[in-house]
Amino acid sequence: LYWPQTGLLVVPLNTYKSQSNDQKSGALALKVTDGAITELGFIEHPGEAGSMYSSAIRRSLVINGTLWTVSSRGLMASDMGNATNQAWLPFN
């Protein structure tokens, strides 16, 4: 997702570190300006019950100034300016 009005760029990201068996899945929120790209934050959705892994984010969109991300587990509303979690709506 690129939102030109604010320079918000949201990129799905999955990482894996074999040394520590550490997996991270979510979306990286960035601010793009004429002279720089800065990280705003990383958005993660809860994983399956009993799992240590977060759910992969499939889509992101902006509605009324709120960043929404979608995974197989639910919807998360985040602040567009700093990617902090505002609400979590799980799928039941």
Side-chain angles (χ1 to χ4, degrees):
L1 166 74
Y2 177 65
W3 198 252
Q5 294 89 329
T6 63
L8 175 68
L9 177 65
V10 180
V11 181
L13 183 66
N14 297 304
T15 63
Y16 178 74
K17 295 179 184 174
S18 60
Q19 300 87 350
S20 60
N21 199 26
D22 182 30
Q23 179 180 341
K24 192 173 186 179
S25 182
L28 181 62
L30 303 166
K31 171 88 173 184
V32 179
T33 63
D34 288 337
I37 298 175
T38 55
E39 183 176 339
L40 295 175
F42 190 78
I43 300 167
E44 288 184 87
H45 287 201
E48 297 286 331
S51 173
M52 60 188 247
Y53 303 116
S54 52
S55 294
I57 292 177
R58 297 179 178 187
R59 299 281 186 270
S60 56
L61 61 148
V62 174
I63 301 173
N64 291 333
T66 300
L67 172 62
W68 288 88
T69 49
V70 182
S71 72
S72 63
R73 301 284 295 152
L75 300 165
M76 182 175 286
S78 301
D79 184 283
M80 286 183 63
N82 57 20
T84 56
N85 180 3
Q86 293 179 328
W88 169 247
L89 302 169
F91 296 144
N92 289 328

